[in-house]
Amino acid sequence: MTLALAELLGTSQTWLALALLVFLRVGACFLVLPTIAEQYIPARVRLGAALAMTVLLAPALAPSLTDSAARLDARVFFTEPLAGLLLGIAIRLMVHALQIAGSMAAQATSLSQIAGGAAPDPQPAIAGFLMLAGMALAVLLGLHVHVARMLLESYDILPAGEVPVAGDLATWGIGRVAASFRLAFSLAAPFLVASVLYNVALGVINKAMPQLMVAFVGAPAITFGGLAILFLSTPIILPVWMRMMQAVLAAPMTP
């Protein structure tokens, strides 16, 4: 009986150490992960989601992490949250691409002041609409499944207990931020082209008819044009963004 209890105690200690090791990475990732880390999501829900993901992943990671859990030391309290934050930031930057694209589109079409303070983070209505639509689309297409697979595969790229090389992190961070801005500019391109054409047309009209107050005539036109472009381009913008999001989920540490 005593031997059985001792064996049970050793097994439970190993599993608790394994769960802690996995939770450190999962919890840090969920701190910044889109949809689950939004300000309007209660902290208890975030904690519960992180614990549920830990329970899901721990058995699958047991064969590869048992040795690391057996020699658990203080270093993992730095390396594992760092790895989780890197994975979460890679996904968060994709959502920021939608926010930046929406802000650029709103600024280009004179819609930047409409409903700017309706969200927890003040932002133009177009940016809020694109972010909400993008996150809803990601959830509908199985964001949780992609995140679970990403966390499982992350131990091949970021092994438990190992500190990433600073130079590699710098290269990765610059590449991810550049890719986010590049994607944002590409998504906002229809609005920027329309803005350029609008300003050129106003300049020509003002040159031909100096007496006409072109600003008063053109403001409703660019507002209506911006809303029309948003209506027509959103079914194209969101699938393009989702394909890029899935690519990042499949390879989050690619620069």
Side-chain angles (χ1 to χ4, degrees):
M1 183 68 177
T2 305
L3 293 176
L5 289 175
E7 183 178 354
L8 179 62
L9 179 60
T11 303
S12 61
Q13 287 177 342
T14 301
W15 276 101
L16 286 174
L18 174 64
L20 175 61
L21 190 64
V22 175
F23 178 76
L24 288 173
R25 182 170 298 201
V26 173
C29 180
F30 276 34
L31 283 176
V32 293
L33 189 72
T35 67
I36 198 64
E38 306 305 321
Q39 294 184 8
Y40 44 79
I41 302 296
R44 293 180 180 178
V45 175
R46 303 181 201 175
L47 179 59
L51 290 174
M53 185 65 74
T54 301
V55 172
L56 177 67
L57 297 182
L61 291 169
S64 58
L65 293 183
T66 301
D67 293 339
S68 299
R71 56 175 187 272
L72 196 67
D73 56 13
R75 184 173 57 179
V76 300
F77 289 92
F78 170 75
T79 60
E80 295 310 291
L82 175 61
L85 285 175
L86 292 176
L87 296 172
I89 288 172
I91 310 304
R92 173 61 63 177
L93 285 174
M94 295 303 298
V95 177
H96 280 178
L98 277 180
Q99 182 179 3
I100 296 168
S103 300
M104 294 171 65
Q107 188 67 35
T109 55
S110 301
L111 294 171
S112 58
Q113 300 302 321
I114 297 180
D121 295 325
Q123 58 188 342
I126 294 180
F129 167 75
L130 289 178
M131 285 183 60
L132 184 60
M135 289 189 291
L137 179 63
V139 171
L140 287 174
L141 294 180
L143 177 64
H144 59 291
V145 177
H146 292 288
V147 170
R149 184 179 62 183
M150 177 189 71
L151 289 168
L152 281 173
E153 297 175 350
S154 68
Y155 288 91
D156 297 331
I157 305 171
L158 299 170
E162 295 188 11
V163 181
V165 180
D168 293 342
L169 285 184
T171 302
W172 171 82
I174 293 172
R176 286 285 91 219
V177 172
S180 177
F181 276 92
R182 185 165 58 247
L183 177 61
F185 186 83
S186 300
L187 298 178
F191 300 90
L192 301 178
V193 171
S195 177
V196 171
L197 295 177
Y198 162 77
N199 285 287
V200 170
L202 282 191
V204 173
I205 295 173
N206 188 46
K207 190 71 174 179
M209 303 176 62
Q211 300 84 3
L212 181 65
M213 299 294 292
V214 293
F216 292 102
V217 176
I222 189 61
T223 301
F224 176 78
L227 294 175
I229 294 173
L230 178 64
F231 176 76
L232 295 173
S233 63
T234 300
I236 301 174
I237 288 175
L238 291 181
V240 170
W241 173 81
M242 192 61 209
R243 285 195 295 270
M244 297 298 296
M245 168 71 92
Q246 291 174 342
V248 173
L249 284 167
M253 298 309 296
T254 301

